[in-house]
Amino acid sequence: PGSAPTADRPRPLGKCRSLPGLQRGSKGAKSSGGLRVGTPDSLASTALPQTPSGLADIDVPSRPNSAKRLPPLALQRSRRRYLNECDAQLHAPLQLPFACGSSSSVLAPNRDLTDRELMSFTTLLQEGRPVEEVDLSNNPLLTGKSLVPFLQKLKDEPMVSTLKRLSISRCIRASTGAVDASSGQEEEGLVRKVDVDVQQPRPSLGEGHDAGRRHCLARPLRRGGLEEPPAARAQIGTIDALKSLLRRTDNLRHLDLGRVSIGTKHQLSLCQAVVKLPQLESLSLADTGLNGAVVGARCIRTLLPMSGGTSLRSLDLSWNALDADAFSCLGECVAATGALRTLKVSNCAASTPDGDTSFAHFLEHLARDSSLTELDVSVNRMDFRVALVMEDALQRHTKLKRLRLEENPLGTLGMRCALRLLAEPRSALMHLDAERCFSGVDGQARDTQLFQATNPGGNYALNLRRPYHRALLRMLYQASERVNLQPTVTFQALRFSEGVYNHPGKDEVGVWKVPTSGKLYFYFDVTQAMKVAVTDIKDRDFSGFISQHLAATRVQPGLKESIPLLAQWKELEGRRREQLVFLAALSKDFSLSTAFLEFVCRSCPSVAEDAVVRLLPCLPCDQASIYMGLMLFNTAGRFLRNRQSMLSFLDFNVDNPTGRYSLDLADCCQYAVAQRMLLLDRWESIVDQRLGRPDTSWRGNGSRFRHERLHGEPMQTFCHSLAEWTLQEFGILDFDYASLQQPPPGAAAIEGKAFERLLKTMWESTCDVPSQVASLRVLSSSIYLTSAQVREFLGFFKTAEDRAEVFVIFHCRVVDRHNAKMWRVRFERDEDVQKLQERLGYAALFPYIQPENARLELDLAYHDQRLCLSIIRGLELKEKGDHCLYNYSLTKPDGTLVEISAGLPYTWTQHQNIPTEGVFRATYRCAPEDRKFDVRKSLAKTFGGLAEDIREADVRWWTGLGEVPPDVVTLLIFLITKYIDLDAAFRDIDGPGGNGVLSLRELEDALLRLECQHFLVGGSEEAMERTANVFRYLDVAGSGSISIHEWQVLNQLWAELDLSIHELLQFFDRTFGDDLQDAWDGLDINEAGEMAEDLFVDALEDLGYFGPVRIIFRILCPPSSTVITESEFMAIEQFKGDGK
């Protein structure tokens, strides 16, 4: 109630008074809302008591009404007709502002309207009433029975001219229930005519069932009622009515048909009608049934003509089944039209037999688009392959700001592509929706071609029919372009299935025009790229190389790029699995600052520890940045809790990488170590080429990797070298790495006092052996050692395995490798030395300077061992012809011996001529006078990497106690107790006026005269054989006599004994001080006054000394006794000082 609205003063919105509901009851009964259910007279008089706007008192937002209002009388007649129709159809009127006349928009979404309600509402669409917007979305009960008359009514003026927005989305039954098209009734035969001027009385619901039934039978039957229409009568459906409406309207700007099923026969004609709308800006055909290569592609070409001229700015084709041809057509049309701003193609793709999805064909064409600002590609089965196509296509897009990727199985590899795209400086992308994209397959098959931005080198076999392989090829061309290298330099060993392959150029928008068919095979060589990207780095500066290379190849987000990355991280708060995938993707392709990591930790405290663990390898390589990153743990407890997860990275010494590795590639820290090891291997290959070094690798592939295994399977079965292999996302990677890094010329070893403090610290440490070894690994790049110091280090470790690990750590830090035999003798068994050679390489541990007594066992199936055989054969020929290799043999893999009765072939001086199977065994012996030192030094420089120009006087000629027969050691111990030095012993045995050589007879007579019980020859054949064994060993030249030079071997043995005793004395000084009495008290814990050999050895091992103790005991012990007393132990003091 109130004053009626006028043209100048529209009715104000007052308090909501709902339309009175219909009440079932007797005639004349009143409802709580004041509406009497009865005759049309009573309905009109009650519902509209004073004003024709009786339905207008609904509290709804007012909308601007640009069209003119109906006159009050016409509006009153329209409402009265609507109310009468509602009463006839037995339903309540719709409480809509349009029904009240306060709006020109029909807004009825989500109301579960029925056909009767909409058919009644259609009576409100009278001539002269404008309609600007119609929203019937999400009314799944509506069918064509009501929608057809409604849409046809919209064709009348002025509605057809004022209509701007139409939505019937999610009216899933709209395509059912057709209406006769040939009816002659008014309103186009679609609704019953209601005469509101002459109202006929009819019974109310309260007068009984029979009266109502009689009234219904008296009424004309509506279409769709009991009366069956003639069979020949034509039918019109919702889509036909819609097409008829679209052909007449010119101002429609938004059309939403989502989830309305459109038959194949209507799809093309509907698109033809849509494209003729001159002002249409937004169109939704989501889940309408567009499919098929022919119809789908034709519809797309119709909606987005290649010639342009379309007004569409937003297109939604989601939830339609499009194949590769349709997607390719869509991509071409989007790029050519250049008008779309928003495109939605969610859940339109299907998988293909080659593992790609058809959606990749669409993304590939977006490289030529320059108009899209928002793209929805969610739920399209996009894995890491399609993600790479997306990265390649959109990385230069200057308009796209939002990309929706939800519900795609990207996995870590796919997220890496997405985050690289988000941080691309050339891209305008600012927001990425990637919820529920953490799962997915990350390319575990061996033949999967993966792109690694940090190290893209390797073998590739590309099928150019696949968009993924074409994108990968374009990414490799871009990698070459970034370092200003021509493709002819980086693409090696090209093979193309369709003839000669010519490197493509770029099109007008900068896209590489790669072929779309054929198979391409090549090796992408990154060595030249490394040379260009890394400058002013010394050959031995491994950390400098890694820092420069990662800075050149990894993504380093600046301020502009960091904002969307951090915003993306904030959006993931509370979704732990997605956060972990996000962190894993960042860790493998990004270089981050400590400030970036700090923000990541503070913004999501629940995953702060995981963020530090995973992103620590992304920080700069300097120790300060690593320290600042670790400080983000806040407490020592948090650090210790996560230390084990970071241990592989924290213990990794990039400047001394030699060692054995077992890396879980799913772990970010261990993946970072594997990534750096692959780069170091390529860098050392570059250095080898620059210096002209021969290939001393395990398999002749120029790699420093040895015994590579993936998932426990030898990798040589499927790749020739790790340089040809792309790092996987998962799996256990095991290998040995043997660097050829050498100390620079003039490098100084750690000085004596500092070394003593280091040894004392180790002895006092309560850490277990693995912790000590790990500490030495971290320390190793800061110091250099001599061979004697390495030998002392080895004495701290009990087992051969621990000693081997320590030696591997310091192998590249020894400044006098020509004295390597000093430490080699601490490995008493040949098996231990052979294990070292397997780990470090036979060529690296070959005794170039002192090969005497070397027992060779070479498996000719491997390149480096064939190389060693050629080296030793060439050395033999130059030193003494065919008389240096003894007891040689060649055993085939089946165990049979190869006959070499004529001697070793001369052609074996070249490793190419050596057989590639079998095991060769031999012992090398050479008399001092036959030694060719210059030849040995040359071999050490060529194959062993010896840097310094050494002299023969610099070499400490050495013989280990385990290299000689036990009888020789017994003789040595006997002689040093009788003579001041061994030269005096030689002169005494040779006798006055001797000839300078010793015969076997002279040696026997001397031993008898000196009463050496072990060699007494009083008719004992066994004693005579012992003497003969000693003589044969010392007669290296086989001349039947021992020269003074050959006798010097005993001096080398004595040097070993003397050094062993000095090392024990130094151990006593560190442990007990200068007083040997304290040392004896510490050993003789039982206070027995004497010690047997086993007790002596056990006592020293308990104290932590593992040197050659038994031979020292034999020196201290009298020949006729098996124990040593305190006084005999004190005799060791005479070896202090100069040891004489």
Side-chain angles (χ1 to χ4, degrees), residues 909-1095:
T909 55
Q910 300 294 325
H911 71 275
Q912 298 88 344
N913 301 325
I914 297 177
T916 57
E917 63 175 9
V919 176
F920 178 82
R921 296 179 177 86
T923 301
Y924 192 87
R925 297 187 62 191
C926 179
E929 56 267 25
D930 296 326
R931 187 186 299 145
K932 299 293 189 294
F933 182 77
D934 291 338
V935 175
R936 297 184 179 190
K937 182 173 67 173
S938 176
L939 292 174
K941 287 185 176 181
T942 303
F943 298 99
L946 183 65
E948 292 195 20
D949 186 14
I950 61 172
R951 300 170 301 170
E952 188 169 1
D954 298 329
V955 179
R956 298 180 67 176
W957 301 99
W958 212 263
T959 299
L961 300 176
E963 298 178 8
V964 300
D967 294 326
V968 177
V969 178
T970 302
L971 175 63
L972 173 65
I973 296 174
F974 175 78
L975 293 177
I976 62 176
T977 61
K978 297 291 185 181
Y979 299 97
I980 190 171
D981 59 40
L982 293 172
D983 289 344
F986 181 86
R987 292 192 296 269
D988 181 55
I989 295 173
D990 190 22
N995 57 359
V997 294
L998 301 181
S999 64
L1000 176 59
R1001 183 65 179 176
E1002 288 177 320
L1003 182 60
E1004 291 175 346
D1005 292 342
L1007 293 177
L1008 179 60
R1009 175 171 51 87
L1010 295 173
E1011 298 182 355
C1012 180
Q1013 299 296 326
H1014 188 73
F1015 295 98
L1016 289 179
V1017 293
S1020 172
E1021 294 184 1
E1022 182 180 354
M1024 294 177 61
E1025 182 62 26
R1026 293 195 192 107
T1027 307
N1029 287 338
V1030 172
F1031 186 85
R1032 281 194 295 269
Y1033 175 80
L1034 295 176
D1035 183 16
V1036 179
S1039 60
S1041 61
I1042 302 173
S1043 67
I1044 184 62
H1045 296 289
E1046 293 171 330
W1047 184 261
Q1048 295 296 329
V1049 172
L1050 294 177
N1051 272 328
Q1052 298 175 21
L1053 279 173
W1054 169 240
E1056 166 67 19
L1057 277 175
D1058 184 56
L1059 183 58
S1060 298
I1061 295 173
H1062 272 78
E1063 289 171 346
L1064 179 60
L1065 289 172
Q1066 290 174 352
F1067 175 79
F1068 286 152
D1069 287 343
R1070 287 191 296 269
T1071 307
F1072 303 105
D1074 294 337
D1075 192 353
L1076 283 178
Q1077 183 63 48
D1078 294 336
W1080 173 259
D1081 294 340
L1083 294 174
D1084 186 18
I1085 57 177
N1086 297 326
E1087 298 182 357
E1090 61 182 18
M1091 300 182 69
E1093 181 176 347
D1094 291 339
L1095 184 60

Side-chain angles (χ1 to χ4, degrees), residues 248-268:
R248 295 190 57 180
T249 183
D250 292 332
N251 292 323
L252 190 65
R253 297 180 181 178
H254 306 280
L255 178 60
D256 188 353
L257 304 178
R259 295 199 66 183
V260 175
S261 179
I262 302 176
T264 304
K265 65 179 182 179
H266 295 295
Q267 292 175 0
L268 183 58

Side-chain angles (χ1 to χ4, degrees), residues 429-662:
L429 189 64
M430 294 296 293
H431 194 273
L432 195 68
D433 297 291
E435 290 80 3
R436 297 173 296 280
C437 293
F438 56 85
S439 61
V441 179
D442 283 323
Q444 294 304 298
R446 291 177 187 162
D447 57 349
T448 302
Q449 302 287 324
L450 300 179
F451 176 75
Q452 297 287 351
T454 304
N455 185 15
N459 281 328
Y460 292 88
L462 305 181
N463 182 0
L464 297 182
R465 293 184 180 276
R466 298 177 58 183
Y468 171 62
H469 283 184
R470 293 197 294 269
L472 201 155
L473 181 58
R474 284 190 291 267
M475 296 294 280
L476 293 177
Y477 276 115
Q478 294 175 33
S480 299
E481 187 181 33
R482 278 196 298 269
V483 293
N484 298 320
L485 287 178
Q486 294 297 322
T488 53
V489 177
T490 54
F491 288 81
Q492 302 291 329
L494 280 165
R495 290 186 294 114
F496 191 41
S497 63
E498 297 185 359
V500 178
Y501 179 80
N502 296 316
H503 291 289
K506 292 183 179 180
D507 60 12
E508 62 279 0
V509 296
V511 180
W512 291 91
K513 299 183 292 185
V514 300
T516 57
S517 63
K519 294 184 178 180
L520 182 63
Y521 306 89
F522 60 90
Y523 172 71
F524 190 76
D525 187 6
V526 297
T527 55
Q528 296 298 324
M530 287 182 176
K531 292 178 182 178
V532 174
V534 180
T535 58
D536 300 329
I537 294 295
K538 298 180 180 179
D539 296 344
R540 301 176 179 85
D541 188 5
F542 288 177
S543 58
F545 159 72
I546 290 294
S547 298
Q548 277 203 18
H549 181 85
L550 294 181
T553 56
R554 282 195 167 203
V555 180
Q556 300 186 64
L559 178 61
K560 173 180 174 295
E561 295 80 18
S562 297
I563 292 174
L565 283 174
L566 295 174
Q568 185 70 26
W569 169 251
K570 282 287 292 181
E571 287 186 1
L572 298 178
E573 187 171 5
R575 303 198 294 269
R576 178 175 175 81
R577 293 186 64 184
E578 297 182 46
Q579 286 176 321
L580 295 183
V581 172
F582 183 93
L583 294 173
L586 276 181
S587 70
K588 296 174 181 178
D589 288 320
F590 283 76
S591 289
L592 306 175
S593 64
T594 52
F596 188 103
L597 178 56
E598 183 179 8
F599 181 88
V600 169
C601 295
R602 292 186 176 180
S603 59
C604 296
S606 60
V607 291
E609 296 179 22
D610 298 287
V612 175
V613 170
R614 285 163 172 78
L615 297 186
L616 191 66
C618 300
L619 299 180
C621 298
D622 59 278
Q623 293 297 320
S625 298
I626 299 298
Y627 173 78
M628 293 297 294
L630 294 176
M631 288 295 292
L632 294 175
F633 281 117
N634 295 331
T635 65
R638 293 181 179 179
F639 168 74
L640 293 176
R641 184 166 58 245
N642 293 275
R643 180 178 178 273
Q644 190 62 35
S645 301
M646 304 179 294
L647 197 59
S648 59
F649 182 76
L650 295 177
D651 288 349
F652 174 64
N653 192 333
V654 68
D655 285 313
N656 185 24
T658 299
R660 175 164 291 170
Y661 296 84
S662 181

